[in-house]
Amino acid sequence: MRRPEPGSTETVETVGTVPCVLRDSPPPAAVPQDTRNRPHCLRNHLRLVAKVVAVGLCVALALAALDALALTRRVSRTAIPQTFSQVPGQTWVIVGSDSRADLPDGPDVYGTEADVPGARADVILVVRVAPDGTSVLSLPRDLLVEPTPGATPNRLAALAGQGPDVLVGVLCQDLGIPTTHYVEVSMAGFVAIVDALGGIDVDIPYPVHDTDASLDLPEAGTLHLDGTTALALVRSRHPVRTIDGTQVATTTDDGARARTESAARVFSAVTTQAKTVRNPFVVHRTAWASTGALTVDNNTSLTDLRTLTQLSSVQVVPVPATYPPDPAFIAHADPTTFATLADHGYTRGTCHMRR
């Protein structure tokens, strides 16, 4: 039997009576790498990455386009007359409708369409966006105006319920306010928008409650309100405030003014909250809620609507009026009414309608 050589890795085993020599197989020789192929491989890798990025970008753009199309189709459209004046910039007329055709979920505190037929305006805001700045007016919904020269006067709220064309016409002819863009939001839509934003922060000067509006705010200060509470605030006509520990009921005059002022504070809070949103999911959620809640004129696009979300630090001015000492909820325009309108670029007799 042959002995292993010194230093060898051989081992000898006897299989039966036959000695066998087992050798460890040497490791395979290393294959030298051709470094000349490295730049070529890197280029192929970069091309593959570029193709993946391009495909991903195309898919993202396609989804964005489909999303924009879906959002656009959710917006309801209406026709309004064309108006013009020398007022620079664009004028938005924003109406909060009290129609019971679209009510928010929750307790039945609004009544049904059978209980309260038709529609009126709870809120009428006039937003002027011009190179020299932005202004927002909150018009008294009970302001008495003439639908056409010589016609029987009626309240702005009631005329708004007759259709956007009627409201746009009376704002132009009786108050000198042109309309570049018209936006109408339902009660359920308003609640949905505020909730989609995650609520809004509103300054409340006094603790207040109003049983008729289902409003109960036991504390004053900056309060975080959900959509239902914000809606109750802007609809409150008989607020009872707690001032220095005493409950103070409001008169018809004060209640109407309070409603106009509340609309101003809530609109300011909504625009402030909308401008601060950075979370893309919240942005999309708000866009989806808003487009499903709005009726706009035929010439207003989604890009135009973004203008309202870009407003910041806007002071909303309640337009004053005179209320007679009776519970009829009627306000008369007085010199302060027209002076306030003029201060913001709207002068009676300067707005005209295209025929």
Side-chain angles (χ1 to χ4, degrees):
M1 181 176 69
R2 185 172 61 84
R3 295 179 179 277
E5 297 179 1
S8 171
T9 59
E10 297 177 353
T11 58
V12 180
E13 293 182 2
T14 299
V15 180
T17 58
V18 180
C20 296
V21 179
L22 304 179
R23 293 183 176 87
D24 292 336
S25 299
V31 179
Q33 297 182 358
D34 187 358
T35 58
R36 291 174 299 174
N37 290 329
R38 286 181 179 177
H40 178 69
C41 293
L42 181 59
R43 285 195 299 271
N44 288 341
H45 179 69
L46 291 176
R47 286 175 184 153
L48 179 61
V49 171
K51 288 180 180 179
V52 171
V53 171
V55 171
L57 182 59
C58 289
V59 171
L61 290 174
L63 290 175
L66 289 174
D67 196 40
L69 180 61
L71 290 174
T72 300
R73 288 180 174 177
R74 284 172 57 80
V75 180
S76 299
R77 298 284 174 177
T78 188
I80 63 171
Q82 289 185 308
T83 60
F84 64 97
S85 73
Q86 298 302 316
V87 178
Q90 298 183 341
T91 297
W92 294 74
V93 173
I94 304 174
V95 175
S97 173
D98 74 350
S99 170
R100 270 60 175 179
D102 187 20
L103 292 174
D105 296 330
D108 183 13
V109 297
Y110 308 102
T112 65
E113 284 188 274
D115 299 326
V116 189
R120 290 140 299 275
D122 269 336
V123 174
I124 304 174
L125 299 173
V126 177
V127 182
R128 176 173 166 263
V129 182
D132 60 345
T134 300
S135 65
V136 184
L137 300 178
S138 180
L139 299 179
R141 69 189 297 272
D142 301 310
L143 187 65
L144 210 60
V145 292
E146 293 182 358
T148 56
T152 302
N154 203 345
R155 297 184 309 140
L156 274 179
L159 292 171
Q162 296 179 18
D165 55 335
V166 176
L167 178 63
V168 168
V170 75
L171 290 178
C172 176
Q173 295 175 349
D174 202 44
L175 299 178
I177 300 174
T179 301
T180 312
H181 300 286
Y182 175 87
V183 179
E184 182 178 310
V185 58
S186 65
M187 287 197 282
F190 174 79
V191 171
I193 292 171
V194 174
D195 286 342
L197 286 168
I200 55 176
D201 295 327
V202 182
D203 291 329
I204 306 299
Y206 302 102
V208 59
H209 74 270
D210 185 343
T211 303
D212 293 340
S214 192
L215 175 67
D216 186 19
L217 298 175
E219 298 180 0
T222 300
L223 305 183
H224 191 73
L225 308 183
D226 62 10
T228 300
T229 307
L231 178 63
L233 180 62
V234 298
R235 300 196 73 248
S236 173
R237 302 195 74 147
H238 308 281
V240 178
R241 299 167 176 167
T242 302
I243 303 175
D244 297 330
T246 302
Q247 291 190 342
V248 180
T250 55
T251 63
T252 300
D253 187 348
D254 289 339
R257 285 198 178 97
R259 193 169 189 173
T260 303
E261 293 168 358
S262 294
R265 288 197 299 271
V266 168
F267 177 79
S268 180
V270 169
T271 56
T272 298
Q273 181 68 13
K275 188 174 177 62
T276 59
V277 171
R278 294 293 181 269
N279 186 320
F281 295 103
V282 176
V283 171
H284 186 273
R285 183 177 66 199
T286 304
W288 190 258
S290 300
T291 52
L294 302 180
T295 297
V296 303
D297 66 275
N298 293 326
N299 293 323
T300 295
S301 66
L302 290 182
T303 302
D304 293 326
L305 286 171
R306 288 188 68 249
T307 302
L308 296 179
T309 67
Q310 303 304 310
L311 303 180
S312 61
S313 302
V314 177
Q315 181 181 4
V316 185
V317 178
V319 175
T322 299
Y323 291 81
D326 59 59
F329 291 105
I330 293 177
H332 297 283
D334 59 31
T336 63
T337 305
F338 295 110
T340 302
L341 292 173
D343 287 343
H344 294 83
Y346 307 115
T347 304
R348 199 176 193 181
T350 61
C351 179
H352 307 281
M353 298 177 61
R354 298 187 189 277
R355 302 299 180 183

